[in-house]
Every structure is written in structure tokens, then in C-alpha cells.
């Protein structure tokens, strides 16, 4: 069995940096890693890639030949890759014996919740080469400081999960810069768990630009909550503990953690339901390390943040009352 990650996310979310850091970490823990660059616009790679789509097609050539812009050019490149999937399969086959695969995809989000080409490429590889892949969807953590942008990130994550149909891990990347664009209204666990989004409505109401979209925002939040699929883990790619905890989670989603086990179903079950020892480091330790105390002391006046969202039991009670 061959395991790997499909690294996706909006432009600037850190996909290429992630592939570079993740490949170095995995090699340090003893895995042979092959990075596959499938972004035809990524012409300055910080890592050594085993396969580069630019050997097949280049975005700048497509734009010049067909008079397309960057977005149209990327769609064309993915369509061309799908039609020439045999090229990619032939390049991958020598790596299947003993490599862990990292696929670095373009940052155009439409490719992963609207167009079918990228999905068809992945599904063809999964079925034909018997790959066990996890989609790692990176979202820039600083979006949490803006309620409107955070809801947009949730909606994008949900749409991508439903479209891709792969084991999926949503990641708040650049967690060390999470407050670079403003303080968070709630503790970090509110943003990682994405429960009871009505608490964001108060903060959106403070912005006159979003007042006329109040009803739309409320409906979108209810859609996200009703699916109850989206949550996030956190990542600082320069922190080996943070990367290691993310690797544990990914290994559990794509089955790598079970690969070396030759035992009964009972042993598999024990591992599958074992406590997630990374959970503290996913939220609480990150909160302590990267996020300043929300309480502001001004002379003798103490300004505290809004009350915390309800517990899981309280949320369930509210649903029953509805």
C-alpha cells in the first residue's frame, strides 16, 4: 500500500512551504518521501521534486499560446493533465515501492470545489495505483481574526470536503501569526471546533458593511453547522512538535498507522479508538504559546471578551429545545 497527502488550499496559505517542511520532517523520522509538484505556476520550488508538471506543461506557455489569464490557464493545465494522466502514472510507478507521496497542487480554489479535472486526476490515481491519500486543506490562521473571512473559510472547507470525497484534514496554517491582523474574539477552540457560529453574529453586527448581509450570514452558518463536518487542527511548520502531531492525525486518516500491523481486528480497534494525545497540543498549548491574554488592563478598568460559547451539552440541549 502506498500512502500520501494531497496538499490544497487558497493562494498564500503555505502549501509549498508545507510540502518542503513536511518532506524534511518525514525524512527525519525515517520515511522516503517523494514530492510531486502539480502546480504549473510554481516555478521557484524550495524542495527537490520527484515529478514536476512543468515537464509536461507550463502555465506561461498556455497563457501565451491560448491568450488565457492565470485562472483560465490553470484550468486548462489541469484538463491537459487529466487527458495525459498516463504520463503521471508512468512517472509515479517507480516511486510506489517504498515512497510516501506529497502532491503539491495549485492554489486556485475553484479546482477543488467547482471543476472536476483535479478530482478526476486524484481519483484515477487512487483507483489505478491503489493509493491511500489524505487531503490536507490549508487555511491561513489569521482569517480567524475577521468573523466574515472565517465564515468564508468554513464554507470553502465544507465545499472542498464534499467535492473531493477523500479523507480530509483541515489545517489552520501559520498559527504562530494568528493574531497578526487582530485579536481573536474567542478562545482558539471556538475556531478549531467551529460550533455554535451564532456567537460570531454579534461581532459581524458591529461592522456596518456586513449589516445588510446579516440574514445571508445566518443561513450560511446554519448550513455549516447542519453538515457538522468542518473542524480544524493547527500547524506551525517550523515547530517539530506541531508538525509531528499533524502527522499522527494524517496517519490515522489515511491508514498509515495500521500499515505495519499484522494482527486481529481487536488490535486495529484499540488503535482506532485510542485517545488523541495530540489534542492538548492542537489547541490548548497553541493558545498558551501564540495567543495573548484577552483581558486588557487599563488603569482600574478591566475589559473582558464576550462570554465563551456554550459547552457541548448545552448546545445539544438547545437543539432539543428547537
Amino acid at each position: 500500500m502506498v500512502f500520501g497527502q494531497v496538499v490544497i488550499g487558497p493562494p498564500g496559505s503555505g502549501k509549498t512551504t508545507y510540502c518542503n517542511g513536511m518532506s524534511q520532517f518525514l525524512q527525519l523520522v525515517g520515511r522516503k518521501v517523494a514530492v510531486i509538484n502539480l502546480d504549473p505556476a510554481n516555478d521557484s520550488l524550495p524542495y527537490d521534486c520527484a515529478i514536476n508538471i512543468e515537464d509536461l506543461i507550463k502555465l506561461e506557455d498556455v497563457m501565451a499560446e491560448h491568450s488565457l489569464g492565470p485562472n483560465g490557464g490553470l484550468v486548462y493545465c489541469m484538463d491537459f493533465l487529466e487527458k495525459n494522466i498516463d504520463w503521471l502514472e508512468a512517472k509515479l510507478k517507480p516511486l510506489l515501492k517504498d515512497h510516501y507521496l506529497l502532491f503539491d497542487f495549485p492554489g486556485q480554489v475553484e479546482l477543488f470545489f467547482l471543476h472536476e479535472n483535479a478530482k478526476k486526476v486524484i481519483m484515477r490515481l487512487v483507483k489505478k495505483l491503489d493509493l491511500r491519500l489524505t487531503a490536507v486543506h490549508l487555511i491561513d490562521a489569521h482569517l480567524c481574526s475577521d468573523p466574515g473571512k472565517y465564515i468564508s473559510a468554513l464554507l470553502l472547507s465544507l465545499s472542498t470536503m464534499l467535492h473531493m470525497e477523500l479523507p480530509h484534514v483541515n489545517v489552520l496554517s501559520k498559527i504562530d501569526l494568528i493574531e497578526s491582523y487582530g485579536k481573536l474574539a474567542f478562545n482558539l477552540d471556538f475556531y478549531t471546533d467551529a460550533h455554535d457560529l451564532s456567537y460570531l453574529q454579534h461581532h459581524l453586527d458591529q461592522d456596518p458593511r456586513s449589516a445588510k448581509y446579516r440574514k445571508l450570514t445566518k443561513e450560511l452558518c446554519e448550513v455549516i453547522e447542519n453538515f457538522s463536518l468542518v473542524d480544524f487542527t493547527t500547524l506551525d511548520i517550523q515547530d517539530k512538535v506541531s508538525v509531528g502531531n499533524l502527522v499522527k492525525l494524517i496517519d490515522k486518516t489515511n491508514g498509515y498507522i495500521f500499515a505495519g500491523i499484522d494482527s486481529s481486528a481487536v488490535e486495529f480497534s484499540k488503535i482506532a479508538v485510542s485517545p488523541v494525545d495530540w489534542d492538548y497540543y492542537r489547541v490548548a498549548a497553541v493558545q498558551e504559546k501564540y495567543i495573548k491574554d484577552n483581558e486588557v488592563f487599563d488603569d482600574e478598568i478591566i475589559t473582558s471578551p464576550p462570554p465563551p460559547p456554550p459547552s457541548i451539552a448545552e448546545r445539544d440541549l438547545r437543539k432539543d429545545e428547537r
Side-chain angles (χ1 to χ4, degrees):
M1 292 182 289
V2 184
F3 298 90
Q5 304 174 28
V6 174
V7 184
I8 58 178
S13 57
K15 295 181 297 299
T16 299
T17 302
Y18 172 89
C19 288
N20 186 32
M22 180 60 71
S23 64
Q24 293 180 34
F25 179 89
L26 292 174
Q27 289 176 44
L28 286 174
V29 298
R31 301 188 198 180
K32 292 184 68 175
V33 181
V35 185
I36 297 93
N37 175 45
L38 296 181
D39 183 357
N42 198 351
D43 53 3
S44 57
L45 298 171
Y47 52 77
D48 294 327
C49 57
I51 304 172
N52 193 343
I53 192 176
E54 288 201 339
D55 295 336
L56 175 69
I57 188 170
K58 293 184 178 181
L59 178 62
E60 58 184 31
D61 294 342
V62 169
M63 293 170 61
E65 184 176 345
H66 298 281
S67 300
L68 295 172
N71 290 340
L74 282 171
V75 173
Y76 182 96
C77 289
M78 285 297 107
D79 183 58
F80 189 83
L81 177 62
E82 181 196 350
K83 288 180 169 58
N84 293 273
I85 191 68
D86 293 342
W87 172 86
L88 182 56
E89 289 178 5
K91 292 280 188 179
L92 283 170
K93 283 180 180 178
L95 305 174
L96 299 182
K97 184 178 180 180
D98 55 358
H99 281 77
Y100 186 97
L101 307 179
L102 294 176
F103 292 89
D104 187 3
F105 270 88
Q108 188 185 19
V109 296
E110 294 93 332
L111 295 173
F112 305 102
F113 74 86
L114 185 60
H115 297 289
E116 293 287 334
N117 296 330
K119 176 184 175 181
K120 288 179 179 177
V121 167
I122 295 168
M123 291 304 164
R124 171 75 177 267
L125 297 177
V126 168
K127 293 177 181 177
K128 188 114 181 243
L129 303 180
D130 196 25
L131 306 184
R132 268 64 169 177
L133 302 177
T134 292
V136 179
H137 187 223
L138 303 180
I139 294 291
D140 198 323
H142 88 262
L143 297 181
C144 296
S145 60
D146 185 313
K149 291 179 181 178
Y150 174 67
I151 292 173
S152 297
L154 288 172
L155 198 60
L156 172 63
S157 299
L158 176 60
S159 301
T160 304
M161 293 175 76
L162 296 175
H163 183 76
M164 294 295 290
E165 298 179 335
L166 283 174
H168 201 100
V169 175
N170 293 304
V171 180
L172 291 176
S173 63
K174 308 179 187 177
I175 198 67
D176 53 317
L177 304 176
I178 189 169
E179 288 191 323
S180 59
Y181 288 83
K183 293 186 69 64
L184 301 184
F186 304 106
N187 286 336
L188 184 60
D189 59 348
F190 175 81
Y191 300 94
T192 54
D193 296 340
H195 289 308
D196 209 333
L197 301 177
S198 61
Y199 275 75
L200 290 174
Q201 196 69 47
H202 168 75
H203 296 276
L204 286 166
D205 291 345
Q206 307 302 311
D207 186 350
R209 296 172 299 177
S210 62
K212 63 179 179 179
Y213 303 116
R214 186 179 295 112
K215 185 176 180 182
L216 173 62
T217 303
K218 181 176 181 293
E219 296 294 333
L220 290 176
C221 288
E222 288 182 357
V223 168
I224 295 167
E225 289 184 334
N226 288 340
F227 273 98
S228 192
L229 288 175
V230 184
D231 60 6
F232 293 96
T233 187
T234 57
L235 174 67
D236 174 5
I237 195 62
Q238 297 180 343
D239 184 346
K240 64 180 181 181
V241 174
S242 179
V243 178
N245 288 320
L246 177 58
V247 169
K248 290 181 186 177
L249 176 59
I250 295 171
D251 286 349
K252 208 167 186 178
T253 58
N254 62 19
Y256 184 91
I257 194 173
F258 305 106
I261 300 176
D262 184 16
S263 189
S264 65
V266 174
E267 294 302 319
F268 279 89
S269 300
K270 286 180 181 178
I271 295 176
V273 301
S274 61
V276 282
D277 57 351
W278 47 265
D279 197 56
Y280 168 77
Y281 298 97
R282 178 179 70 99
V283 179
V286 174
Q287 175 89 31
E288 295 170 3
K289 185 173 182 180
Y290 296 117
I291 300 176
K292 297 175 183 177
D293 191 347
N294 279 334
E295 293 187 350
V296 179
F297 293 85
D298 185 12
D299 296 329
E300 296 182 354
I301 301 175
I302 301 178
T303 303
S304 299
S311 65
I312 294 176
E314 290 172 330
R315 290 196 294 267
D316 291 341
L317 180 60
R318 284 188 184 181
K319 289 181 181 178
D320 292 341
E321 290 174 349
R322 290 175 189 167

